[in-house]
């Protein structure tokens, strides 16, 4: 990987991922800049309807920003493109059509690989896949997320589980949301911070809240 950051990166103790996507108010590079200014250490690029050339253009702006600030950058799906661009890794959705094991073989041991799952058995199945984390979709409520995480943990599966915060969530509720779901981290859409008067300050406050709660 081009950036060469291992999973000992300190923000992974908090695991706040901001999933950046097109916004009516800001461009993706603007959102990433504000997230970084707010001390977010992990950006996931969400461009499902774009072709690879469009993703390359956006990454050409994001990579220098992330490299300069030691910010993790991952792509949603597109493992081949992640390898080509030399970024940290990928997050695999159900639409990816590839297995976590094959992606690990392709990207190597240093890549960060995450996958979206919907139930405890899916997490348990990935136990030996050399995967770094899994995420639960925002369609699941807090109680359901907590039940899935507890079931996976009881089965001896130690893969960190990141919950996806609902788009309607108030940023001040992020820490409580993570605690209620028993999650190792939270993924938050950039549309949440884009709705705030000062997105960078909003991210900064979320990070501070999560640090105090950890």
């Amino acid at each position: 990987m081009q950036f060469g950051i291992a999973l000992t990166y300190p923000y992974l103790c908090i695991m706040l991922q901001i999933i950046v996507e097109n916004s009516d108010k800001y461009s993706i590079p603007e959102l990433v800049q504000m997230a970084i200014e707010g001390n977010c250490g992990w950006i996931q690029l969400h461009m499902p309807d774009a072709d690879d050339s469009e993703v390359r253009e956006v990454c050409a702006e994001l990579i220098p920003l992330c490299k300069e600030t030691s910010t993790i950058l991952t792509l949603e799906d597109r493992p081949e493109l992640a390898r080509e661009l030399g970024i940290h890794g990928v997050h695999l959705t159900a639409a990816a059509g590839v297995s976590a094991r094959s992606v690990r073989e392709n990207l190597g041991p240093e890549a960060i690989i995450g996958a979206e799952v919907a139930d405890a058995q899916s997490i348990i199945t990935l136990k030996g896949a050399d995967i770094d984390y899994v995420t639960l979709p925002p369609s699941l409520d807090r109680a359901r997320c907590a039940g899935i995480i507890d079931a996976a943990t009881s089965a001896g599966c130690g893969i960190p589980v990141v919950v996806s915060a609902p788009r309607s969530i108030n940023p001040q509720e992020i820490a409580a949301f993570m605690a209620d779901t028993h999650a190792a981290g939270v993924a938050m859409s950039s549309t949440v911070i884009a709705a705030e008067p000062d997105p960078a300050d909003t991210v900064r406050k979320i990070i501070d809240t999560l640090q105090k709660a950890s």
Side-chain angles (χ1 to χ4, degrees), residues 43-127:
I43 300 296
Q44 178 182 315
L45 182 57
H46 175 74
M47 297 179 67
D49 299 323
D51 59 32
D52 282 358
S53 63
E54 293 175 282
V55 177
R56 285 188 187 93
E57 289 180 11
V58 171
C59 284
E61 295 188 65
L62 302 190
I63 287 173
L65 281 175
C66 293
K67 188 173 183 180
E68 180 181 355
T69 56
S70 297
T71 301
I72 291 171
L73 176 63
T74 55
L75 290 185
E76 187 174 282
D77 300 329
R78 308 179 199 254
E80 292 296 337
L81 188 58
R83 182 176 183 178
E84 172 194 322
L85 297 175
I87 65 174
H88 293 107
V90 293
H91 176 72
L92 303 173
T93 69
V98 293
S99 71
R101 288 179 176 85
S102 65
V103 172
R104 173 63 70 198
E105 290 174 2
N106 184 32
L107 297 186
E110 293 184 0
I112 297 172
I113 299 174
E116 184 180 65
V117 298
D119 52 53
Q121 187 55 49
S122 297
I123 302 174
I124 295 166
T125 300
L126 289 168
K127 186 176 179 180

